[in-house]
Amino acid sequence: MPKLYLGFLASHGGSNMQAIIDSIKRGELDAVPCVVISNNSNSLALERARNEGIPAYHISSKHFPNEDELDQAILDTLLKHNVDTVVLAGYMKKIGPKVLTHFKNRVLNIHPALLPKFGGQGMYGKFVHEAVLKAGEKESGCTVHLVDEIYDHGRILGQRKVEISPDDTVDTLSAKVLEQEHILYTEILKKISNGEIVL
Ligand code: GRF
C-alpha cells in the first residue's frame, strides 16, 4: 500500500500536525512528514516542525502580496518536497486554485464540528463551539473532509462525536473536540494509506 508524503499547512498551535507526526514516529502510520508551511512566522507549528527536523517555511502575503504568486509559492514548496497529500491543520487561509488543481482530491482539512452543520466562512475556532452551544446541540465532534473551492464543503471522509453536557463551555467543548481531532486525523490518514478510503 502506498506510503503518504504529507505536506502540512498550519497557522497556530499545530497540535493536530504533532499528533500525526507522533503516530508516524510510533510506526502506526506509513507516511513521511515532508514539509510544514505556515503563514504565521511565530506559530508553534513552525517550531514543532523545526524540533522534528522537518523542513519548515514561513510563506505569507507579506512575501507575496499577489494572491496568485502566493498560491504558486506554496505549490512550488509542496512540489519541491515531493508532497502527494496536503494536510491542513488549523490553517487560517484559503487554499489557492493552483494548489487545489494540482492536488485535486488530495487536500484534507479538519473542522471542529459535525459538518455539514456549523461550517462555512467565519465558522472557525471558538465561533464554531459558541454556535454549537447556542443551538442547544446534544452532541458535537469533528470532521475530516476534502477541500474544494467552497469552505468546509468537500467530501466528508470521517467524523468522531462528543457528547455535550449542560455545563460545557466553549473552552471545555473545544478541549473535548480537540482530543477527538487528534485521533480522527490519524485514523483517516491510515485508512487512505491502507486503501480503505480511496481519494
Ligand atoms: C482545530 O480545532 C481544527 O479543527 C481547526 O483548527 C484547530 C487547529 O488546532 N481547523 P491545532 O493547530 O491543530 O492545535
Side-chain angles (χ1 to χ4, degrees):
M1 284 299 170
K3 193 190 263 284
L4 298 176
Y5 292 84
L6 306 177
F8 293 94
L9 275 87
S11 298
H12 297 295
S15 71
N16 275 290
M17 177 189 87
Q18 187 71 57
I20 295 166
I21 294 168
D22 290 347
S23 127
I24 295 172
K25 288 189 347 191
R26 287 194 301 269
E28 293 167 8
L29 171 63
D30 193 17
V32 182
C34 301
V35 64
V36 176
I37 298 172
S38 181
N39 60 305
N40 173 3
S41 60
N42 294 317
S43 63
L44 182 54
L46 283 181
E47 199 179 315
R48 289 182 194 270
R50 291 187 189 113
N51 288 340
E52 298 288 348
I54 303 167
Y57 295 82
H58 171 222
I59 304 179
S60 78
S61 54
K62 280 192 196 128
H63 314 103
F64 300 99
N66 177 297
E67 271 182 26
D68 211 46
E69 287 172 16
L70 177 62
D71 188 13
Q72 186 68 51
I74 293 174
L75 176 60
D76 290 345
T77 307
L78 294 168
L79 294 177
K80 180 176 160 199
H81 290 279
N82 302 313
V83 167
D84 66 18
T85 307
V86 179
V87 176
L88 306 188
Y91 187 60
M92 303 308 287
K93 300 286 171 187
K94 205 161 185 198
I95 297 297
K98 288 176 200 278
V99 171
L100 278 184
T101 305
H102 188 91
F103 289 98
K104 193 166 169 51
N105 294 335
R106 302 292 305 187
V107 182
L108 278 67
N109 183 42
I110 189 152
H111 183 78
L114 298 172
L115 291 175
K117 284 170 127 182
F118 305 104
Q121 192 156 14
M123 273 294 179
Y124 61 89
K126 71 178 175 96
F127 300 111
V128 177
H129 304 298
E130 257 167 27
V132 169
L133 291 174
K134 203 169 159 207
E137 295 289 309
K138 298 275 178 296
E139 60 178 19
S140 187
C142 48
T143 305
V144 170
H145 64 95
L146 290 181
V147 174
D148 62 16
E149 302 72 24
I150 305 167
Y151 278 111
D152 302 325
H153 168 267
R155 176 182 155 205
I156 291 176
L157 302 178
Q159 296 186 310
R160 284 182 77 91
K161 291 182 179 175
V162 301
E163 260 181 46
I164 298 179
S165 51
D167 54 354
D168 262 325
T169 62
V170 167
D171 286 346
T172 60
L173 178 58
S174 114
K176 275 202 253 186
V177 171
L178 190 61
E179 205 179 309
Q180 296 306 312
E181 289 183 40
H182 294 163
I183 302 169
L184 179 68
Y185 227 160
T186 309
E187 214 171 68
I188 297 300
L189 288 167
K190 274 189 211 159
K191 286 187 182 174
I192 294 169
S193 129
N194 70 21
E196 242 181 278
I197 292 179
V198 178
L199 297 183

